[in-house]
Amino acid sequence: MMLCLGSMVIAETPTSLIEREMLMEGLAMLKKIRGTDNVDAEYEEILHACEMARQVKQPFKNLMKRSSRPQLVIAIVMQVFQQFTGINAIMFYAPVLFQTIGFKNDASLLSAVITGIVNVLSTVVSVVLVDKVGRRFLLLEACGQMLITQVAIGGILLVNLKATNELGHGVAVWVVVLVCLFVSSFAWSWGPLGWLIPSETFPLATRTAGYAFAVSSNMLFTFVIAQAFLSMMCHLRAGIFFFFGAWIVVMGLFVIFLLPETKNVPIDEMTEKVWKQHWFWKRFMDEEEDKKHSV
């Protein structure tokens, strides 16, 4: 019901309006979003991008071009990494997890509710800070926080479950606190930004096709993790948290070396200001330019 009501009041984006040739409405919305009437340059850029997008008849074919490789790789990898943080495993099976470490049924469900509330509230942090501190900062901060909490939870369970096969009340409460810290860091970083960054990086000509790959990757690996988690928890026990911790290290390295900052970069200027300036991805753009000049 909330989603339905929200869909009735959410504003259209300027790009969407201009794509549907509602030019005056698009211009008015752009002025409203920017808070100024001085948007002529950006408006012309959106007009040009929409016109170029209309000329593309086979977006999936265009997505396979070398110049689309950076956006496609980042979109898919962000979705895969989002699942390999271990968040869905914890959220899906929080009652089972808490019951396993010694909580009774009601306490397990209550703990799961608490982590759900933390997840929702922490997402607000991303809404407030993402355009102030940048995408990379939030992702890297979260990698550090998630790694610490995963290793701490794994260490606590490894020591206590090996000795007694259950946790004392005080230790179990600390595990819940650590899980909440883990969930909060995910909720202001890899959760929302896993969807935001792909939407920013694809040009209009391939955005729909590119986002289809991103969503499909997310659903596929959500299924894989959901199916594998219980068996992994039974076999690895506390080691499951070290498994996800290792993936978080890989995610951090990916952000440091391969994920450019997209804060305050208009979508239409992404190629010039981001991809052609990045130490690794620029080679895909440069080679495409060489092919154009050689034709």
Side-chain angles (χ1 to χ4, degrees):
M1 182 62 70
M2 291 175 65
L3 286 171
C4 180
L5 294 175
S7 66
M8 295 178 183
V9 299
I10 193 170
E12 293 276 7
T13 65
T15 302
S16 175
L17 290 167
I18 293 170
E19 273 188 305
R20 289 178 283 145
E21 299 185 354
M22 302 168 66
L23 304 184
M24 298 310 297
E25 292 88 342
L27 178 59
M29 182 58 68
L30 186 60
K31 290 179 179 179
K32 180 180 179 181
I33 291 173
R34 299 303 183 210
T36 177
D37 289 338
N38 186 25
V39 296
D40 291 344
E42 185 175 359
Y43 177 69
E44 290 298 326
E45 288 177 358
I46 296 175
L47 274 176
H48 176 70
C50 290
E51 182 58 36
M52 295 295 291
R54 289 192 193 99
Q55 297 175 14
V56 176
K57 304 302 180 184
Q58 296 178 310
F60 283 96
K61 184 177 180 180
N62 276 25
L63 194 61
M64 297 299 109
K65 290 182 178 179
R66 183 176 173 83
S67 59
S68 297
R69 198 80 48 80
Q71 304 96 308
L72 183 61
V73 169
I74 286 175
I76 292 175
V77 168
M78 288 293 293
Q79 297 297 330
V80 174
F81 281 163
Q82 189 185 76
Q83 301 311 308
F84 276 91
T85 59
I87 184 65
N88 273 344
I90 288 177
M91 298 302 286
F92 287 168
Y93 298 113
V96 177
L97 177 64
F98 291 135
Q99 192 171 14
T100 299
I101 62 178
F103 282 23
K104 302 302 181 184
N105 287 341
D106 290 345
S108 297
L109 289 172
L110 178 61
S111 301
V113 170
I114 291 172
T115 55
I117 293 172
V118 169
N119 187 24
V120 172
L121 295 179
S122 297
T123 306
V124 178
V125 176
S126 180
V127 174
V128 174
L129 294 181
V130 68
D131 285 325
K132 295 179 180 178
V133 301
R135 286 78 169 134
R136 282 166 52 87
F137 176 85
L138 287 177
L139 291 172
L140 289 173
E141 186 281 333
C143 282
Q145 186 170 327
M146 288 191 295
L147 178 61
I148 291 170
T149 53
Q150 290 275 30
V151 171
I153 293 170
I156 290 172
L157 297 183
L158 186 65
V159 171
N160 287 273
L161 293 182
K162 184 177 290 185
T164 64
N165 213 36
E166 64 180 24
L167 299 181
H169 178 72
V171 177
V173 170
W174 272 110
V175 170
V176 174
V177 171
L178 288 168
V179 168
C180 287
L181 287 173
F182 168 81
V183 170
S184 66
S185 60
F186 173 87
W188 65 56
S189 59
W190 289 88
L193 298 185
W195 299 105
L196 174 65
I197 291 173
S199 73
E200 294 179 321
T201 53
F202 285 110
L204 286 176
T206 58
R207 186 179 303 168
T208 302
Y211 222 70
F213 274 93
V215 174
S216 300
S217 301
N218 183 282
M219 296 298 103
L220 174 62
F221 281 89
T222 298
F223 171 79
V224 170
I225 292 295
Q227 294 301 311
F229 178 73
L230 283 182
S231 295
M232 292 173 66
M233 188 169 69
C234 289
H235 288 87
L236 297 177
R237 294 169 65 81
I240 188 72
F241 295 96
F242 298 116
F243 170 81
F244 287 124
W247 276 104
I248 291 170
V249 173
V250 176
M251 292 158 51
L253 294 174
F254 175 82
V255 174
I256 291 171
F257 293 109
L258 294 176
L259 185 68
E261 180 59 69
T262 56
K263 182 183 74 171
N264 296 329
V265 181
I267 291 174
D268 312 303
E269 299 177 16
M270 198 66 65
T271 298
E272 295 296 329
K273 292 188 175 181
V274 174
W275 305 121
K276 289 186 178 181
Q277 306 302 320
H278 192 270
W279 72 273
F280 181 77
W281 298 121
K282 66 180 181 181
R283 69 190 66 185
F284 295 90
M285 302 298 157
D286 292 343
E287 185 165 319
E288 190 73 8
E289 287 298 321
D290 291 340
K291 289 180 180 178
K292 289 180 181 178
H293 291 304
S294 64
V295 174

